[in-house]
Amino acid sequence: MKPAAFDYIVPRTVREAVDALGDTGRKAQVLAGGQSLILEMHLQRIRPELVVDINRIAELDHMSIDDNTLRVGALVRHSVFESAQAVPGPLGTLLSRAVVNIAHPPIRSRGTMAGSFAWAHPASEWCAIGVALDAGVELQGPDGVRRVAAGDYFHGPYRTARRPQELITSVGLPLLGEDTGVGFIEHRRTHFCFAQVAVAATLTVRDGLISEARIGLVNSADKPVRAHAAEQALIGAEARFPRAGYRLPEDHPFARAGRIAADEDAAPVAEPYADVEYKRQAIAVLVGRTLCEAAADQRSRVAALKGDHR
């Protein structure tokens, strides 16, 4: 199929783009990477009257660190994060572990993090990480700039707090402490499928006890989920680091957190090849495994900070 007819403009500034989107007489879509939009237009599931191509707005194609926050411009491509050195510290490691799960190289070379936030697919890796880390979404519209916390931004599949006249200009992710461990594990049927379930996790340990934990669940509800109940269950627990490949006993804090995340935090939706029961089991297992990965990462980071290279 071919897209329905539409008008096309290429603004050179954010203000020009916002002015175009502010023309409320027409249905408009923003084109950055276009890896989801173009397909939907070809299938005529989306029929915009105007496409606003923001790829010539140079100010959106950059990252910066300001006030301990990584600001990712709307044109920064997924592929930038494939190198853990692109972003300092544990945050760079987390993003690099997650990004390789996004489709395949041609998609990653064009798609953008901001585009994932705009599209709001429940299986988006970036959206779940954003919710887990309390990211902020910067929006610019006719009335100026406003910032929305990721936890308030997502309303459901493809539904967000972004208004039709607004443009996402950046996503802000807080940098993580150097002694914070990170993990990301994804489960899917084939390498090129959307995630059936994925988990992002961070762990901070003080005096042998878990002082902070963050868990983001991918495709575990109709929008990205932060597993607050599971996180609370981990606070103050003894940081018992399991051996690699070791099956967690049921009374291990990570195993308990997995069950809590599956039963209390998640609200999985059945889909082909993965009914609700299957998803809950997958969530429980993946949360435990991802916490193990984060714990191992945390231990190695602390050892490096102490100069212990054994």
Coordinates of all heavy atoms in Angstrom, one line a residue, residues 118-187:
A118 N 7.8 9.5 21.9 CA 6.7 10.0 21.2 C 5.7 8.9 20.8 O 4.5 9.1 20.9 CB 7.1 10.8 20.0
W119 N 6.3 7.8 20.4 CA 5.4 6.7 19.9 C 4.8 5.9 21.1 O 3.6 5.5 21.0 CB 6.3 5.7 19.1 CG 5.5 4.9 18.1 CD1 5.3 3.5 18.2 CD2 4.8 5.3 17.0 NE1 4.6 3.1 17.2 CE2 4.2 4.2 16.4 CE3 4.6 6.5 16.4 CZ2 3.5 4.2 15.2 CZ3 3.9 6.6 15.2 CH2 3.3 5.5 14.7
A120 N 5.5 5.8 22.2 CA 5.0 5.2 23.4 C 4.4 3.7 23.2 O 3.4 3.4 23.7 CB 3.9 6.0 24.0
H121 N 5.3 2.9 22.6 CA 4.9 1.5 22.4 C 5.2 0.8 23.7 O 6.2 1.0 24.4 CB 5.7 0.9 21.3 CG 5.2 -0.5 20.8 ND1 5.3 -1.6 21.6 CD2 4.6 -0.9 19.7 CE1 4.8 -2.6 21.0 NE2 4.3 -2.2 19.8
P122 N 4.3 -0.1 24.2 CA 4.5 -0.8 25.5 C 5.8 -1.6 25.6 O 6.4 -1.8 26.6 CB 3.3 -1.6 25.7 CG 2.3 -1.0 24.9 CD 3.0 -0.4 23.7
A123 N 6.3 -2.0 24.4 CA 7.5 -2.8 24.3 C 8.8 -2.0 24.1 O 9.9 -2.6 23.8 CB 7.4 -3.9 23.2
S124 N 8.7 -0.7 24.3 CA 9.9 0.1 24.1 C 10.9 0.0 25.3 O 10.5 0.2 26.4 CB 9.5 1.6 23.9 OG 10.6 2.5 24.1
E125 N 12.1 -0.3 25.0 CA 13.1 -0.4 26.0 C 13.4 1.0 26.6 O 13.5 1.1 27.8 CB 14.4 -0.9 25.4 CG 14.4 -2.4 24.9 CD 13.8 -2.5 23.5 OE1 13.4 -1.5 22.9 OE2 13.7 -3.7 23.1
W126 N 13.5 2.0 25.8 CA 13.8 3.4 26.3 C 12.7 3.9 27.2 O 13.0 4.6 28.2 CB 14.0 4.4 25.1 CG 15.2 4.2 24.2 CD1 15.2 4.6 22.9 CD2 16.5 3.8 24.6 NE1 16.5 4.4 22.4 CE2 17.3 3.9 23.4 CE3 17.1 3.4 25.7 CZ2 18.6 3.6 23.3 CZ3 18.4 3.0 25.7 CH2 19.2 3.1 24.5
C127 N 11.5 3.6 26.9 CA 10.4 4.2 27.7 C 10.4 3.6 29.1 O 10.2 4.3 30.1 CB 9.1 3.9 27.1 SG 8.9 4.7 25.5
A128 N 10.7 2.3 29.2 CA 10.8 1.6 30.6 C 12.0 2.1 31.4 O 11.9 2.4 32.6 CB 10.8 0.1 30.4
I129 N 13.1 2.3 30.7 CA 14.3 2.9 31.4 C 14.0 4.3 31.8 O 14.3 4.7 33.0 CB 15.5 2.9 30.4 CG1 16.0 1.4 30.2 CG2 16.6 3.8 31.0 CD1 17.1 1.3 29.3
G130 N 13.3 5.1 31.0 CA 12.9 6.4 31.4 C 12.1 6.5 32.6 O 12.3 7.3 33.5
V131 N 11.1 5.6 32.7 CA 10.2 5.5 33.9 C 11.0 5.1 35.1 O 10.8 5.6 36.2 CB 9.0 4.6 33.6 CG1 8.3 4.3 34.9 CG2 8.1 5.2 32.6
A132 N 11.8 4.1 34.9 CA 12.6 3.6 36.1 C 13.5 4.6 36.7 O 13.7 4.7 37.9 CB 13.4 2.3 35.7
L133 N 14.1 5.5 35.8 CA 15.1 6.5 36.2 C 14.5 7.8 36.5 O 15.3 8.8 36.8 CB 16.2 6.6 35.2 CG 17.0 5.3 34.9 CD1 18.2 5.7 33.9 CD2 17.6 4.7 36.2
D134 N 13.2 7.9 36.5 CA 12.5 9.3 36.7 C 13.0 10.3 35.6 O 13.4 11.4 36.0 CB 12.8 9.8 38.1 CG 12.0 9.1 39.1 OD1 10.9 8.6 38.8 OD2 12.5 9.0 40.3
A135 N 13.1 9.9 34.4 CA 13.5 10.8 33.3 C 12.5 11.9 33.2 O 11.3 11.8 33.6 CB 13.6 10.0 32.0
G136 N 12.9 13.0 32.5 CA 12.0 14.1 32.2 C 11.9 14.3 30.7 O 12.9 14.1 30.0
V137 N 10.7 14.6 30.2 CA 10.5 14.8 28.8 C 10.2 16.3 28.6 O 9.4 16.9 29.2 CB 9.3 14.0 28.3 CG1 9.1 14.2 26.8 CG2 9.4 12.5 28.6
E138 N 11.1 16.9 27.8 CA 10.9 18.4 27.5 C 10.1 18.6 26.2 O 10.5 18.0 25.2 CB 12.3 19.0 27.4 CG 12.2 20.5 27.2 CD 13.5 21.2 27.1 OE1 14.1 21.4 28.2 OE2 14.0 21.5 26.0
L139 N 9.1 19.3 26.4 CA 8.1 19.6 25.3 C 8.1 21.1 25.0 O 8.0 21.9 25.9 CB 6.7 19.1 25.6 CG 6.6 17.6 26.0 CD1 5.5 17.4 27.0 CD2 6.4 16.8 24.7
Q140 N 8.1 21.4 23.7 CA 7.9 22.8 23.3 C 6.7 23.0 22.5 O 6.5 22.3 21.5 CB 9.2 23.4 22.6 CG 9.1 24.9 22.4 CD 10.5 25.5 22.1 OE1 11.5 25.0 22.5 NE2 10.5 26.6 21.4
G141 N 5.9 23.9 22.8 CA 4.6 24.2 22.1 C 4.4 25.7 21.9 O 5.3 26.5 22.3
P142 N 3.2 26.1 21.5 CA 2.9 27.5 21.3 C 3.0 28.3 22.5 O 3.3 29.5 22.5 CB 1.5 27.4 20.7 CG 1.3 26.1 20.1 CD 2.2 25.2 21.0
D143 N 2.8 27.7 23.7 CA 2.8 28.4 25.0 C 4.2 28.3 25.7 O 4.3 28.8 26.8 CB 1.7 27.8 25.9 CG 0.3 28.0 25.3 OD1 0.1 29.0 24.6 OD2 -0.5 27.1 25.5
G144 N 5.2 27.8 25.0 CA 6.5 27.7 25.6 C 6.9 26.3 25.9 O 6.4 25.3 25.4
V145 N 7.9 26.2 26.8 CA 8.5 24.9 27.2 C 7.9 24.4 28.5 O 7.7 25.1 29.4 CB 10.0 25.0 27.3 CG1 10.7 23.7 27.8 CG2 10.7 25.5 26.0
R146 N 7.6 23.1 28.5 CA 7.2 22.4 29.7 C 7.9 21.1 29.8 O 8.3 20.5 28.8 CB 5.7 22.3 29.8 CG 5.1 21.3 28.9 CD 3.6 21.3 29.0 NE 2.9 20.3 28.1 CZ 2.3 19.2 28.5 NH1 2.2 19.0 29.8 NH2 1.8 18.3 27.7
R147 N 8.1 20.6 31.1 CA 8.7 19.3 31.3 C 7.8 18.4 32.1 O 7.1 18.8 33.0 CB 10.0 19.6 32.1 CG 11.1 20.3 31.3 CD 12.3 20.7 32.2 NE 13.3 21.4 31.3 CZ 13.2 22.7 31.0 NH1 12.2 23.4 31.5 NH2 14.2 23.2 30.3
V148 N 7.7 17.2 31.6 CA 6.8 16.2 32.2 C 7.7 15.0 32.7 O 8.5 14.5 31.9 CB 5.8 15.7 31.2 CG1 4.8 14.7 31.8 CG2 5.0 16.9 30.7
A149 N 7.5 14.6 33.9 CA 8.1 13.4 34.4 C 7.7 12.2 33.6 O 6.5 12.0 33.3 CB 7.9 13.2 35.9
A150 N 8.6 11.2 33.4 CA 8.2 10.1 32.6 C 7.1 9.3 33.2 O 6.2 8.7 32.5 CB 9.5 9.2 32.4
G151 N 7.0 9.2 34.5 CA 6.0 8.5 35.2 C 4.6 9.1 34.9 O 3.6 8.4 35.0
D152 N 4.5 10.4 34.6 CA 3.3 11.0 34.3 C 3.0 11.2 32.8 O 1.9 11.5 32.3 CB 3.2 12.4 34.9 CG 3.3 12.4 36.4 OD1 2.8 11.5 37.0 OD2 4.0 13.3 37.0
Y153 N 4.1 10.9 32.0 CA 4.0 11.2 30.6 C 3.2 10.1 29.8 O 2.5 10.4 28.9 CB 5.4 11.3 30.0 CG 5.5 11.4 28.5 CD1 5.3 12.6 27.9 CD2 5.8 10.3 27.7 CE1 5.4 12.7 26.5 CE2 5.9 10.4 26.4 CZ 5.7 11.6 25.8 OH 5.8 11.7 24.4
F154 N 3.4 8.8 30.2 CA 2.8 7.7 29.5 C 1.4 7.4 30.0 O 1.2 7.2 31.2 CB 3.7 6.5 29.6 CG 5.0 6.6 29.0 CD1 6.1 6.8 29.8 CD2 5.2 6.6 27.6 CE1 7.4 7.0 29.2 CE2 6.5 6.8 27.0 CZ 7.6 7.0 27.8
H155 N 0.4 7.4 29.1 CA -1.0 7.2 29.5 C -1.5 5.8 29.0 O -2.5 5.4 29.5 CB -1.8 8.3 28.9 CG -1.6 9.6 29.5 ND1 -2.2 10.8 29.0 CD2 -0.8 10.0 30.5 CE1 -1.8 11.8 29.7 NE2 -0.9 11.4 30.6
G156 N -0.8 5.2 28.1 CA -1.3 3.9 27.6 C -0.6 3.7 26.2 O 0.3 4.5 25.8
P157 N -1.0 2.6 25.5 CA -0.4 2.4 24.2 C -0.6 3.5 23.3 O -1.7 3.9 23.0 CB -1.1 1.1 23.7 CG -1.7 0.5 24.9 CD -2.0 1.6 25.8
Y158 N 0.5 4.1 22.8 CA 0.6 5.2 21.9 C -0.1 6.5 22.4 O -0.4 7.4 21.6 CB -0.1 4.8 20.5 CG 0.3 3.4 20.0 CD1 -0.6 2.4 20.0 CD2 1.6 3.2 19.6 CE1 -0.2 1.1 19.6 CE2 2.0 2.0 19.1 CZ 1.1 0.9 19.1 OH 1.5 -0.3 18.7
R159 N -0.4 6.5 23.7 CA -1.0 7.7 24.3 C -0.1 8.3 25.3 O 0.4 7.6 26.2 CB -2.3 7.3 24.9 CG -3.4 6.9 23.9 CD -4.7 6.7 24.6 NE -4.7 5.6 25.6 CZ -4.9 5.8 26.9 NH1 -5.0 7.0 27.4 NH2 -4.8 4.8 27.7
T160 N 0.1 9.6 25.2 CA 1.0 10.3 26.1 C 0.5 11.7 26.5 O -0.6 12.1 26.1 CB 2.4 10.5 25.5 OG1 2.3 11.5 24.5 CG2 3.0 9.2 24.9
A161 N 1.2 12.4 27.4 CA 0.9 13.7 27.8 C 1.2 14.8 26.7 O 0.9 16.0 26.9 CB 1.5 14.1 29.1
R162 N 1.9 14.4 25.6 CA 2.2 15.4 24.6 C 1.0 15.8 23.9 O 0.1 15.0 23.4 CB 3.2 14.7 23.6 CG 3.7 15.7 22.6 CD 4.7 15.1 21.6 NE 4.0 14.2 20.7 CZ 3.5 14.6 19.5 NH1 3.5 15.9 19.1 NH2 2.9 13.7 18.7
R163 N 0.9 17.1 23.8 CA -0.3 17.7 23.0 C 0.0 17.8 21.5 O 1.2 17.8 21.1 CB -0.5 19.1 23.6 CG -0.9 19.1 25.0 CD -0.8 20.5 25.7 NE -1.0 20.5 27.1 CZ -0.6 21.4 28.0 NH1 0.1 22.4 27.5 NH2 -0.8 21.3 29.3
P164 N -1.0 17.8 20.7 CA -0.8 17.7 19.2 C 0.1 18.9 18.7 O 0.8 18.7 17.8 CB -2.2 17.8 18.7 CG -3.1 17.3 19.7 CD -2.4 17.7 21.0
Q165 N 0.1 20.0 19.4 CA 0.8 21.2 19.0 C 2.3 21.2 19.5 O 3.0 22.1 19.3 CB 0.1 22.5 19.4 CG -1.3 22.6 18.8 CD -2.3 22.0 19.7 OE1 -2.0 21.4 20.7 NE2 -3.6 22.1 19.3
E166 N 2.6 20.2 20.3 CA 3.9 20.2 21.0 C 4.9 19.2 20.3 O 4.6 18.2 19.7 CB 3.8 19.7 22.4 CG 3.1 20.8 23.3 CD 3.0 20.3 24.7 OE1 2.7 19.1 25.0 OE2 3.1 21.2 25.6
L167 N 6.2 19.6 20.4 CA 7.3 18.9 19.9 C 8.2 18.4 21.1 O 8.6 19.2 21.9 CB 8.1 19.7 18.9 CG 9.4 19.1 18.4 CD1 9.2 18.0 17.4 CD2 10.3 20.2 17.7
I168 N 8.6 17.1 21.1 CA 9.6 16.7 22.1 C 10.9 17.2 21.6 O 11.4 16.9 20.5 CB 9.6 15.2 22.2 CG1 8.3 14.6 22.7 CG2 10.8 14.7 23.1 CD1 8.3 13.1 22.8
T169 N 11.6 18.0 22.5 CA 12.9 18.5 22.1 C 14.0 17.8 22.7 O 15.1 17.7 22.2 CB 13.0 20.0 22.5 OG1 12.7 20.2 23.9 CG2 12.1 20.9 21.6
S170 N 13.8 17.1 23.9 CA 14.8 16.3 24.5 C 14.2 15.4 25.6 O 13.1 15.6 26.1 CB 15.9 17.2 25.1 OG 15.4 17.9 26.3
V171 N 15.0 14.4 26.0 CA 14.7 13.5 27.1 C 15.9 13.7 28.1 O 17.0 13.6 27.7 CB 14.6 12.1 26.6 CG1 14.4 11.2 27.8 CG2 13.4 11.9 25.7
G172 N 15.6 13.9 29.3 CA 16.6 14.1 30.4 C 16.7 12.8 31.3 O 15.7 12.5 31.9
L173 N 17.9 12.2 31.3 CA 18.1 11.0 32.1 C 19.1 11.4 33.2 O 20.2 11.9 32.9 CB 18.6 9.9 31.3 CG 17.7 9.4 30.2 CD1 18.5 8.5 29.2 CD2 16.5 8.6 30.8
P174 N 18.8 11.1 34.5 CA 19.8 11.4 35.5 C 21.0 10.5 35.4 O 20.9 9.3 35.2 CB 19.0 11.2 36.8 CG 17.9 10.2 36.4 CD 17.6 10.5 35.0
L175 N 22.2 11.1 35.6 CA 23.4 10.2 35.7 C 23.3 9.4 37.0 O 22.7 9.8 38.0 CB 24.6 11.1 35.7 CG 24.8 12.0 34.4 CD1 26.1 12.8 34.6 CD2 24.9 11.1 33.2
L176 N 24.0 8.2 36.9 CA 24.0 7.3 38.0 C 25.3 7.4 38.8 O 26.3 7.6 38.2 CB 23.7 5.9 37.6 CG 22.4 5.7 36.8 CD1 22.3 4.3 36.2 CD2 21.2 6.0 37.7
G177 N 25.3 7.2 40.1 CA 26.5 7.2 40.9 C 27.4 6.1 40.4 O 27.1 5.0 39.9
E178 N 28.7 6.4 40.6 CA 29.8 5.4 40.1 C 29.7 4.1 40.8 O 30.2 3.1 40.3 CB 31.1 6.1 40.3 CG 31.4 7.2 39.3 CD 31.4 6.8 37.9 OE1 31.8 5.6 37.6 OE2 31.1 7.6 37.0
D179 N 29.1 4.0 42.0 CA 29.0 2.7 42.7 C 27.7 2.0 42.5 O 27.3 1.1 43.2 CB 29.2 2.9 44.2 CG 28.2 3.9 44.8 OD1 27.5 4.6 44.1 OD2 28.1 3.9 46.1
T180 N 26.9 2.5 41.5 CA 25.6 1.9 41.1 C 25.8 0.8 40.1 O 26.5 1.1 39.0 CB 24.6 3.0 40.6 OG1 24.4 3.9 41.7 CG2 23.3 2.3 40.2
G181 N 25.2 -0.4 40.3 CA 25.3 -1.4 39.3 C 24.0 -1.4 38.4 O 23.0 -1.0 38.9
V182 N 24.2 -1.8 37.2 CA 23.1 -1.8 36.3 C 22.9 -3.2 35.6 O 23.9 -3.9 35.4 CB 23.3 -0.7 35.2 CG1 23.3 0.7 35.8 CG2 24.5 -0.9 34.3
G183 N 21.7 -3.4 35.1 CA 21.4 -4.7 34.4 C 20.3 -4.4 33.4 O 19.4 -3.6 33.7
F184 N 20.3 -5.2 32.3 CA 19.2 -5.2 31.4 C 19.1 -6.5 30.7 O 20.1 -7.0 30.1 CB 19.4 -4.0 30.3 CG 18.1 -3.9 29.4 CD1 17.2 -2.9 29.8 CD2 17.9 -4.7 28.3 CE1 16.0 -2.8 29.0 CE2 16.8 -4.5 27.5 CZ 15.8 -3.6 27.9
I185 N 18.0 -7.2 30.7 CA 17.8 -8.5 30.1 C 16.5 -8.4 29.4 O 15.5 -8.0 29.9 CB 17.9 -9.6 31.1 CG1 19.2 -9.7 31.7 CG2 17.6 -11.0 30.4 CD1 19.4 -10.8 32.8
E186 N 16.4 -9.0 28.1 CA 15.2 -9.0 27.3 C 14.9 -10.4 26.8 O 15.9 -11.2 26.5 CB 15.4 -8.0 26.1 CG 14.1 -7.9 25.3 CD 14.1 -6.7 24.4 OE1 14.5 -5.6 24.9 OE2 13.8 -6.9 23.2
H187 N 13.7 -10.7 26.8 CA 13.2 -12.0 26.3 C 12.3 -11.8 25.1 O 11.3 -11.0 25.2 CB 12.5 -12.8 27.4 CG 11.8 -14.1 26.9 ND1 12.6 -15.1 26.4 CD2 10.5 -14.4 26.9 CE1 11.7 -16.1 26.0 NE2 10.5 -15.7 26.3

